[in-house]
Amino acid sequence: MNKSELIQEIAEKTNGSKSEAQRFFDAFAEVVKDSLKKGEPVQITGFGKFYVQEREARQGINPQTKQKIDIPASKVPKFTAGNSLKEAIR
């Protein structure tokens, strides 16, 4: 399912318009992004948890040249599914 299909499903399930569903989805995505930028996790009980994980700097190898390269530390978004979501797909 892609973004436009998801928005269509939201519109159908809420008996609303696609533009309204688009606004709600965009607002949800913006709130999650803003919270993660601040380093705050977003937990939706039963659905899951969005959070930021920090990766330490490390050394890697360029597969074409076989030279060692330094990979800088970074922050990456992560998602962990909640119990209700896990149960729903079993």
Coordinates of all heavy atoms in Angstrom, one line a residue:
M1 N 0.8 -1.2 0.0 CA 0.0 0.0 0.0 C 0.9 1.2 0.0 O 1.8 1.3 0.8 CB -0.9 0.0 1.2 CG -1.8 1.2 1.4 SD -2.9 1.2 2.8 CE -4.1 0.1 2.3
N2 N 0.6 2.2 -0.9 CA 1.4 3.4 -0.9 C 0.6 4.5 -0.3 O -0.5 4.3 0.2 CB 1.8 3.8 -2.4 CG 0.6 4.0 -3.3 OD1 -0.4 4.5 -2.8 ND2 0.8 3.8 -4.6
K3 N 1.2 5.7 -0.2 CA 0.6 6.8 0.5 C -0.8 7.2 0.0 O -1.7 7.4 0.8 CB 1.5 8.0 0.4 CG 1.0 9.2 1.2 CD 2.0 10.4 1.1 CE 1.5 11.6 1.8 NZ 2.4 12.8 1.7
S4 N -1.0 7.3 -1.3 CA -2.3 7.6 -1.9 C -3.3 6.6 -1.6 O -4.5 6.9 -1.3 CB -2.2 7.9 -3.4 OG -1.8 6.8 -4.1
E5 N -2.9 5.3 -1.6 CA -3.9 4.2 -1.3 C -4.3 4.3 0.2 O -5.4 4.1 0.6 CB -3.3 2.9 -1.6 CG -3.1 2.6 -3.1 CD -2.3 1.4 -3.4 OE1 -1.5 0.9 -2.6 OE2 -2.4 0.9 -4.6
L6 N -3.3 4.6 1.0 CA -3.6 4.8 2.5 C -4.5 5.9 2.7 O -5.5 5.8 3.5 CB -2.2 5.0 3.2 CG -2.4 5.3 4.7 CD1 -3.0 4.1 5.4 CD2 -1.0 5.6 5.3
I7 N -4.3 7.0 2.1 CA -5.2 8.2 2.2 C -6.6 7.8 1.8 O -7.6 8.2 2.4 CB -4.6 9.4 1.5 CG1 -3.4 9.9 2.3 CG2 -5.6 10.5 1.4 CD1 -2.5 10.9 1.6
Q8 N -6.7 7.1 0.7 CA -8.0 6.7 0.2 C -8.7 5.8 1.2 O -9.9 6.0 1.5 CB -7.9 5.9 -1.2 CG -9.1 5.4 -1.8 CD -10.1 6.5 -2.2 OE1 -9.7 7.5 -2.8 NE2 -11.4 6.3 -2.0
E9 N -8.0 4.9 1.8 CA -8.6 4.0 2.8 C -9.0 4.8 4.0 O -10.1 4.5 4.6 CB -7.6 2.9 3.2 CG -7.4 1.8 2.2 CD -8.5 0.8 2.2 OE1 -9.1 0.5 3.3 OE2 -8.8 0.4 1.1
I10 N -8.2 5.7 4.5 CA -8.6 6.6 5.6 C -9.9 7.3 5.3 O -10.8 7.4 6.1 CB -7.5 7.5 6.0 CG1 -6.3 6.8 6.6 CG2 -8.0 8.6 7.0 CD1 -5.0 7.6 6.7
A11 N -10.0 7.9 4.1 CA -11.2 8.6 3.7 C -12.4 7.7 3.7 O -13.5 8.1 4.2 CB -11.0 9.2 2.3
E12 N -12.3 6.5 3.2 CA -13.4 5.6 3.2 C -13.8 5.2 4.6 O -15.0 5.1 4.9 CB -13.1 4.3 2.3 CG -13.0 4.6 0.9 CD -12.5 3.5 0.0 OE1 -12.4 2.3 0.6 OE2 -12.2 3.7 -1.2
K13 N -12.9 4.9 5.5 CA -13.2 4.4 6.8 C -13.8 5.5 7.7 O -14.5 5.2 8.6 CB -12.0 3.8 7.5 CG -11.5 2.5 6.8 CD -10.9 1.6 7.8 CE -10.4 0.3 7.1 NZ -11.3 -0.8 7.1
T14 N -13.4 6.7 7.4 CA -14.0 7.8 8.2 C -15.1 8.5 7.5 O -15.6 9.5 8.1 CB -12.9 8.9 8.5 OG1 -12.4 9.4 7.2 CG2 -11.7 8.3 9.3
N15 N -15.6 8.0 6.4 CA -16.6 8.7 5.6 C -16.4 10.1 5.4 O -17.2 11.0 5.4 CB -18.0 8.5 6.3 CG -18.4 7.1 6.4 OD1 -18.2 6.3 5.4 ND2 -19.0 6.7 7.5
G16 N -15.1 10.5 5.1 CA -14.7 11.8 4.8 C -14.1 11.9 3.4 O -14.1 11.0 2.7
S17 N -13.7 13.1 3.1 CA -13.1 13.4 1.8 C -11.7 13.0 1.7 O -11.0 12.9 2.8 CB -13.3 14.8 1.4 OG -12.5 15.6 2.2
K18 N -11.1 12.8 0.5 CA -9.7 12.5 0.4 C -8.9 13.7 0.8 O -7.8 13.5 1.4 CB -9.4 12.1 -1.1 CG -9.8 10.7 -1.4 CD -9.6 10.4 -2.9 CE -8.1 10.2 -3.1 NZ -7.8 9.8 -4.5
S19 N -9.3 14.9 0.6 CA -8.5 16.1 1.0 C -8.5 16.2 2.5 O -7.4 16.6 3.0 CB -9.1 17.3 0.3 OG -10.4 17.6 0.8
E20 N -9.6 15.8 3.1 CA -9.6 15.9 4.6 C -8.6 14.8 5.2 O -7.9 15.0 6.1 CB -11.0 15.6 5.1 CG -11.2 15.9 6.5 CD -12.7 15.8 6.9 OE1 -13.3 14.7 6.6 OE2 -13.3 16.8 7.4
A21 N -8.7 13.6 4.6 CA -7.8 12.5 5.0 C -6.3 12.9 4.8 O -5.5 12.6 5.6 CB -8.1 11.2 4.3
Q22 N -6.1 13.6 3.6 CA -4.7 14.0 3.3 C -4.2 15.0 4.4 O -3.1 14.9 4.8 CB -4.7 14.7 1.9 CG -3.4 15.3 1.5 CD -2.4 14.2 1.1 OE1 -2.7 13.4 0.3 NE2 -1.2 14.2 1.6
R23 N -5.1 15.9 4.8 CA -4.7 16.9 5.8 C -4.4 16.2 7.1 O -3.4 16.5 7.8 CB -5.8 17.9 6.0 CG -5.8 19.0 5.0 CD -6.7 20.3 5.4 NE -7.7 20.0 6.4 CZ -9.0 19.7 6.1 NH1 -9.4 19.6 4.8 NH2 -9.9 19.6 7.1
F24 N -5.2 15.3 7.5 CA -5.0 14.5 8.8 C -3.7 13.7 8.7 O -2.9 13.7 9.7 CB -6.2 13.6 9.1 CG -7.4 14.3 9.5 CD1 -8.6 13.9 9.1 CD2 -7.4 15.5 10.3 CE1 -9.8 14.5 9.4 CE2 -8.5 16.1 10.6 CZ -9.8 15.6 10.2
F25 N -3.5 13.1 7.6 CA -2.2 12.3 7.4 C -1.0 13.2 7.5 O 0.0 12.9 8.2 CB -2.2 11.5 6.1 CG -1.0 10.7 5.9 CD1 -0.8 9.5 6.6 CD2 0.0 11.2 5.1 CE1 0.3 8.7 6.4 CE2 1.2 10.5 5.0 CZ 1.4 9.2 5.6
D26 N -1.0 14.3 6.8 CA 0.1 15.2 6.7 C 0.4 15.8 8.1 O 1.5 15.9 8.5 CB -0.2 16.3 5.7 CG -0.1 15.9 4.3 OD1 0.4 14.8 4.0 OD2 -0.6 16.6 3.4
A27 N -0.7 16.1 8.9 CA -0.6 16.6 10.2 C 0.1 15.6 11.1 O 1.0 15.9 11.9 CB -1.9 17.1 10.8
F28 N -0.4 14.3 11.0 CA 0.2 13.2 11.8 C 1.7 13.1 11.5 O 2.5 13.0 12.4 CB -0.6 11.9 11.5 CG 0.1 10.7 12.1 CD1 -0.1 10.4 13.5 CD2 0.9 9.8 11.3 CE1 0.5 9.3 14.0 CE2 1.5 8.7 11.9 CZ 1.3 8.5 13.2
A29 N 2.0 13.0 10.2 CA 3.4 12.9 9.8 C 4.3 14.0 10.4 O 5.4 13.8 10.8 CB 3.6 12.8 8.3
E30 N 3.7 15.3 10.3 CA 4.5 16.4 10.8 C 4.7 16.4 12.3 O 5.8 16.7 12.8 CB 3.7 17.7 10.4 CG 4.5 19.0 10.6 CD 5.6 19.1 9.7 OE1 5.6 18.6 8.6 OE2 6.6 19.8 10.1
V31 N 3.7 16.0 13.0 CA 3.8 15.9 14.5 C 4.9 14.8 14.9 O 5.7 15.0 15.7 CB 2.5 15.5 15.1 CG1 2.6 15.1 16.6 CG2 1.5 16.7 15.0
V32 N 4.9 13.7 14.2 CA 5.8 12.6 14.4 C 7.3 13.1 14.1 O 8.2 13.0 14.9 CB 5.5 11.3 13.7 CG1 6.7 10.3 13.8 CG2 4.2 10.7 14.2
K33 N 7.4 13.8 13.0 CA 8.7 14.3 12.6 C 9.2 15.3 13.6 O 10.4 15.3 14.0 CB 8.7 15.0 11.2 CG 8.8 14.0 10.1 CD 9.0 14.7 8.7 CE 7.7 15.1 8.1 NZ 7.8 15.7 6.8
D34 N 8.4 16.3 14.0 CA 8.8 17.3 14.9 C 9.2 16.7 16.3 O 10.2 17.1 16.9 CB 7.7 18.3 15.1 CG 7.4 19.2 13.9 OD1 8.3 19.2 13.0 OD2 6.4 19.8 13.9
S35 N 8.4 15.7 16.7 CA 8.8 15.1 18.0 C 10.1 14.3 17.9 O 10.9 14.4 18.8 CB 7.7 14.1 18.4 OG 6.5 14.8 18.7
L36 N 10.3 13.6 16.8 CA 11.6 12.9 16.7 C 12.8 13.8 16.5 O 13.9 13.5 17.0 CB 11.5 11.9 15.4 CG 10.5 10.8 15.6 CD1 10.5 9.9 14.3 CD2 10.8 9.9 16.8
K37 N 12.6 15.0 15.9 CA 13.7 16.0 15.8 C 14.1 16.4 17.2 O 15.3 16.7 17.4 CB 13.2 17.2 15.0 CG 13.2 17.0 13.5 CD 12.8 18.2 12.8 CE 12.7 18.0 11.3 NZ 12.2 19.3 10.6
K38 N 13.1 16.5 18.1 CA 13.4 17.0 19.4 C 14.0 15.8 20.3 O 14.3 16.0 21.4 CB 12.1 17.5 20.1 CG 11.6 18.7 19.5 CD 10.3 19.1 20.2 CE 9.4 20.0 19.5 NZ 8.1 20.2 20.1
G39 N 14.0 14.6 19.7 CA 14.5 13.5 20.5 C 13.4 12.8 21.3 O 13.7 12.0 22.2
E40 N 12.2 13.2 21.1 CA 11.1 12.7 21.9 C 10.4 11.5 21.2 O 10.0 11.7 20.0 CB 10.0 13.7 22.2 CG 10.5 14.9 22.9 CD 9.5 16.1 22.9 OE1 8.5 16.0 22.3 OE2 9.8 17.1 23.6
P41 N 10.2 10.4 21.8 CA 9.5 9.2 21.1 C 8.1 9.5 21.0 O 7.5 10.3 21.8 CB 9.8 8.1 22.1 CG 10.1 8.7 23.4 CD 10.7 10.0 23.1
V42 N 7.4 8.9 20.1 CA 6.0 9.0 19.9 C 5.4 7.6 20.1 O 5.7 6.7 19.3 CB 5.6 9.5 18.5 CG1 4.1 9.5 18.3 CG2 6.2 10.9 18.3
Q43 N 4.7 7.4 21.2 CA 4.1 6.1 21.5 C 2.6 6.1 21.3 O 1.9 6.9 22.0 CB 4.5 5.6 22.9 CG 4.0 4.2 23.2 CD 4.8 3.5 24.3 OE1 5.8 4.1 24.7 NE2 4.4 2.4 24.6
I44 N 2.1 5.2 20.5 CA 0.7 5.0 20.3 C 0.3 3.7 20.9 O 0.6 2.6 20.3 CB 0.3 5.2 18.8 CG1 0.8 6.5 18.3 CG2 -1.2 5.0 18.6 CD1 0.7 6.6 16.8
T45 N -0.4 3.7 22.0 CA -0.7 2.4 22.7 C -1.4 1.5 21.8 O -2.4 1.8 21.1 CB -1.5 2.7 24.0 OG1 -0.8 3.6 24.8 CG2 -1.8 1.4 24.7
G46 N -0.9 0.2 21.7 CA -1.5 -0.8 20.9 C -1.0 -0.8 19.4 O -1.1 -1.8 18.7
F47 N -0.5 0.3 19.0 CA 0.0 0.4 17.6 C 1.5 0.3 17.5 O 2.0 -0.6 16.8 CB -0.5 1.7 16.9 CG -0.1 1.9 15.5 CD1 -0.7 1.1 14.5 CD2 0.9 2.7 15.1 CE1 -0.3 1.2 13.2 CE2 1.4 2.8 13.8 CZ 0.7 2.1 12.8
G48 N 2.2 1.1 18.2 CA 3.6 1.1 18.2 C 4.3 2.3 18.7 O 3.7 3.2 19.2
K49 N 5.6 2.3 18.5 CA 6.4 3.4 19.1 C 7.4 3.9 18.0 O 8.1 3.1 17.4 CB 7.2 3.0 20.3 CG 8.1 4.0 20.9 CD 8.7 3.4 22.2 CE 9.7 4.4 22.8 NZ 10.4 3.8 23.9
F50 N 7.4 5.2 17.7 CA 8.4 5.8 16.8 C 9.5 6.4 17.7 O 9.1 7.1 18.7 CB 7.8 6.9 16.0 CG 6.7 6.4 15.0 CD1 5.4 6.4 15.4 CD2 7.0 6.0 13.7 CE1 4.4 6.0 14.6 CE2 6.0 5.6 12.9 CZ 4.7 5.6 13.3
Y51 N 10.7 6.2 17.4 CA 11.8 6.8 18.2 C 13.1 7.0 17.4 O 13.1 6.5 16.2 CB 12.1 5.9 19.4 CG 12.6 4.5 19.1 CD1 13.9 4.2 19.2 CD2 11.7 3.5 18.8 CE1 14.4 2.9 18.9 CE2 12.1 2.2 18.5 CZ 13.4 1.9 18.5 OH 13.9 0.7 18.2
V52 N 14.0 7.7 18.0 CA 15.3 7.9 17.3 C 16.4 7.1 17.9 O 16.5 7.0 19.1 CB 15.7 9.4 17.4 CG1 17.1 9.6 16.8 CG2 14.7 10.3 16.7
Q53 N 17.2 6.4 17.1 CA 18.3 5.6 17.6 C 19.6 6.2 17.1 O 19.7 6.6 15.9 CB 18.1 4.1 17.1 CG 19.2 3.2 17.7 CD 19.0 1.8 17.4 OE1 18.6 1.5 16.3 NE2 19.1 0.9 18.3
E54 N 20.5 6.3 18.0 CA 21.8 6.9 17.6 C 22.8 5.8 17.2 O 22.9 4.8 17.9 CB 22.4 7.7 18.7 CG 21.6 8.9 19.0 CD 22.2 9.9 20.0 OE1 23.5 9.8 20.2 OE2 21.5 10.6 20.7
R55 N 23.4 5.9 16.1 CA 24.4 5.0 15.6 C 25.8 5.6 15.9 O 26.0 6.8 15.6 CB 24.3 4.7 14.1 CG 23.1 3.9 13.8 CD 23.1 3.6 12.3 NE 22.0 2.7 11.9 CZ 21.6 2.5 10.7 NH1 22.3 2.9 9.7 NH2 20.6 1.7 10.5
E56 N 26.7 4.8 16.4 CA 28.0 5.3 16.7 C 28.8 5.3 15.4 O 28.5 4.6 14.4 CB 28.7 4.4 17.7 CG 28.1 4.4 19.1 CD 28.8 3.5 20.1 OE1 29.9 3.0 19.8 OE2 28.2 3.3 21.2
A57 N 29.9 6.2 15.4 CA 30.8 6.2 14.3 C 31.5 4.9 14.2 O 31.8 4.2 15.2 CB 31.8 7.3 14.5
R58 N 31.8 4.5 13.0 CA 32.4 3.2 12.8 C 33.3 3.2 11.5 O 33.2 4.1 10.7 CB 31.4 2.0 12.8 CG 30.4 2.2 11.6 CD 29.2 1.2 11.8 NE 28.4 1.1 10.6 CZ 27.5 1.9 10.2 NH1 27.3 3.0 10.9 NH2 26.8 1.7 9.1
Q59 N 34.0 2.1 11.3 CA 34.8 2.0 10.1 C 34.1 1.0 9.2 O 33.5 0.0 9.6 CB 36.2 1.5 10.3 CG 37.1 2.6 10.7 CD 38.6 2.2 10.5 OE1 38.9 1.0 10.4 NE2 39.4 3.2 10.3
G60 N 34.1 1.3 7.9 CA 33.5 0.4 6.9 C 34.5 0.2 5.8 O 35.6 0.7 5.8
I61 N 34.2 -0.6 4.8 CA 35.0 -0.9 3.7 C 34.3 -0.6 2.4 O 33.2 -1.1 2.2 CB 35.5 -2.4 3.7 CG1 36.3 -2.7 4.9 CG2 36.3 -2.7 2.4 CD1 36.7 -4.1 5.1
N62 N 34.9 0.2 1.5 CA 34.3 0.5 0.2 C 34.4 -0.8 -0.6 O 35.5 -1.3 -0.8 CB 35.1 1.6 -0.4 CG 34.5 2.0 -1.8 OD1 34.0 1.2 -2.5 ND2 34.7 3.3 -2.1
P63 N 33.3 -1.3 -1.0 CA 33.3 -2.6 -1.7 C 34.0 -2.6 -3.1 O 34.5 -3.6 -3.5 CB 31.9 -3.0 -1.9 CG 31.1 -1.8 -1.6 CD 31.9 -0.9 -0.8
Q64 N 34.1 -1.4 -3.7 CA 34.7 -1.3 -5.0 C 36.3 -1.2 -4.9 O 37.0 -1.9 -5.6 CB 34.2 -0.1 -5.8 CG 32.7 -0.3 -6.2 CD 32.2 0.9 -6.9 OE1 32.7 2.0 -6.8 NE2 31.1 0.7 -7.7
T65 N 36.7 -0.4 -3.9 CA 38.2 -0.2 -3.8 C 38.8 -1.0 -2.7 O 40.0 -1.0 -2.6 CB 38.4 1.3 -3.6 OG1 37.9 1.7 -2.3 CG2 37.9 2.2 -4.7
K66 N 38.0 -1.5 -1.8 CA 38.5 -2.3 -0.6 C 39.2 -1.4 0.4 O 39.9 -1.9 1.3 CB 39.4 -3.5 -1.0 CG 38.8 -4.4 -2.0 CD 37.6 -5.1 -1.5 CE 37.1 -6.1 -2.5 NZ 35.7 -6.3 -2.6
Q67 N 39.1 -0.1 0.2 CA 39.7 0.9 1.2 C 38.8 1.0 2.4 O 37.6 1.0 2.3 CB 39.9 2.2 0.6 CG 41.0 2.3 -0.5 CD 41.2 3.7 -1.0 OE1 40.2 4.4 -1.2 NE2 42.4 4.0 -1.3
K68 N 39.4 1.2 3.6 CA 38.7 1.5 4.8 C 38.2 2.9 4.7 O 38.9 3.8 4.3 CB 39.5 1.3 6.0 CG 39.8 -0.2 6.3 CD 40.6 -0.4 7.6 CE 40.8 -1.9 7.8 NZ 41.4 -2.2 9.1
I69 N 37.0 3.1 5.2 CA 36.4 4.5 5.2 C 35.8 4.7 6.6 O 35.4 3.7 7.3 CB 35.3 4.7 4.1 CG1 34.2 3.6 4.2 CG2 35.9 4.7 2.8 CD1 33.0 3.9 3.3
D70 N 35.8 5.9 7.0 CA 35.1 6.3 8.3 C 33.7 6.6 8.1 O 33.4 7.5 7.2 CB 35.8 7.5 9.0 CG 37.2 7.1 9.4 OD1 37.4 5.9 9.9 OD2 38.1 7.9 9.4
I71 N 32.8 6.0 8.8 CA 31.4 6.3 8.7 C 31.0 7.1 9.9 O 31.2 6.6 11.1 CB 30.5 5.0 8.6 CG1 31.0 4.1 7.4 CG2 29.0 5.3 8.6 CD1 30.4 2.7 7.4
P72 N 30.5 8.3 9.7 CA 30.2 9.2 10.9 C 29.0 8.7 11.7 O 28.2 7.9 11.2 CB 30.0 10.5 10.3 CG 29.5 10.2 8.9 CD 30.2 9.0 8.5
A73 N 29.0 9.1 13.0 CA 27.8 8.8 13.8 C 26.6 9.5 13.2 O 26.7 10.5 12.5 CB 28.1 9.4 15.2
S74 N 25.4 8.9 13.4 CA 24.2 9.4 12.8 C 23.0 9.0 13.7 O 23.1 8.2 14.6 CB 24.0 8.8 11.4 OG 23.8 7.4 11.5
K75 N 21.9 9.6 13.4 CA 20.6 9.3 14.1 C 19.7 8.8 13.1 O 19.6 9.4 12.0 CB 20.0 10.6 14.8 CG 20.9 11.2 15.9 CD 20.2 12.4 16.4 CE 21.1 13.0 17.6 NZ 20.4 14.2 18.1
V76 N 19.0 7.7 13.4 CA 18.0 7.1 12.4 C 16.7 6.9 13.1 O 16.6 6.6 14.3 CB 18.6 5.8 11.9 CG1 19.8 6.0 11.0 CG2 18.9 4.8 13.0
P77 N 15.6 7.1 12.4 CA 14.3 6.9 12.9 C 14.0 5.4 13.0 O 14.4 4.6 12.1 CB 13.3 7.6 12.0 CG 14.0 7.6 10.7 CD 15.5 7.7 11.0
K78 N 13.3 4.9 14.0 CA 13.0 3.5 14.2 C 11.5 3.4 14.6 O 10.9 4.3 15.1 CB 13.8 2.9 15.3 CG 15.3 2.8 15.0 CD 15.6 1.6 14.1 CE 17.0 1.4 14.0 NZ 17.3 0.1 13.4
F79 N 10.9 2.2 14.3 CA 9.6 1.9 14.7 C 9.5 0.5 15.3 O 10.1 -0.4 14.7 CB 8.6 2.0 13.5 CG 7.2 1.6 13.9 CD1 6.4 2.5 14.5 CD2 6.7 0.3 13.5 CE1 5.1 2.1 14.9 CE2 5.4 0.0 13.9 CZ 4.6 0.9 14.5
T80 N 8.8 0.4 16.4 CA 8.6 -0.9 17.1 C 7.1 -1.1 17.2 O 6.4 -0.2 17.7 CB 9.2 -0.9 18.5 OG1 10.6 -0.7 18.4 CG2 9.0 -2.3 19.1
A81 N 6.6 -2.2 16.6 CA 5.2 -2.5 16.6 C 4.7 -2.8 18.1 O 5.4 -3.5 18.8 CB 4.9 -3.7 15.7
G82 N 3.5 -2.4 18.4 CA 2.9 -2.7 19.7 C 2.2 -4.0 19.7 O 2.1 -4.7 18.6
N83 N 1.8 -4.5 20.8 CA 1.2 -5.9 20.9 C 0.0 -6.0 20.1 O -0.2 -7.1 19.5 CB 1.0 -6.2 22.4 CG 2.2 -6.4 23.2 OD1 3.3 -6.8 22.6 ND2 2.2 -6.2 24.5
S84 N -0.9 -5.0 20.1 CA -2.2 -5.2 19.3 C -1.9 -5.3 17.9 O -2.5 -6.1 17.2 CB -3.1 -4.0 19.6 OG -3.5 -3.9 20.9
L85 N -0.9 -4.6 17.3 CA -0.6 -4.6 15.9 C 0.1 -6.0 15.6 O -0.2 -6.6 14.6 CB 0.4 -3.5 15.6 CG 0.9 -3.4 14.1 CD1 -0.3 -3.3 13.2 CD2 1.8 -2.3 13.9
K86 N 0.9 -6.5 16.5 CA 1.6 -7.8 16.3 C 0.5 -8.9 16.3 O 0.6 -9.8 15.5 CB 2.6 -8.0 17.4 CG 3.8 -7.2 17.4 CD 4.7 -7.5 18.5 CE 5.9 -6.6 18.6 NZ 6.8 -6.9 19.8
E87 N -0.5 -8.8 17.2 CA -1.5 -9.8 17.3 C -2.4 -9.8 16.0 O -2.9 -10.8 15.6 CB -2.4 -9.6 18.5 CG -1.7 -10.0 19.8 CD -1.3 -11.5 19.9 OE1 -2.1 -12.3 19.5 OE2 -0.2 -11.8 20.4
A88 N -2.6 -8.6 15.5 CA -3.5 -8.5 14.4 C -3.0 -9.1 13.1 O -3.7 -9.6 12.2 CB -3.8 -7.0 14.1
I89 N -1.7 -9.2 13.0 CA -1.1 -9.8 11.8 C -0.6 -11.3 12.0 O -0.1 -11.9 11.0 CB 0.1 -9.0 11.3 CG1 1.2 -8.9 12.3 CG2 -0.4 -7.6 10.9 CD1 2.5 -8.2 11.8
R90 N -0.9 -11.9 13.1 CA -0.5 -13.3 13.3 C -1.5 -14.2 12.6 O -2.6 -14.0 12.4 CB -0.4 -13.6 14.8 CG 0.9 -13.0 15.4 CD 1.1 -13.5 16.7 NE 2.3 -12.8 17.2 CZ 2.7 -12.8 18.4 NH1 2.0 -13.5 19.4 NH2 3.8 -12.2 18.8

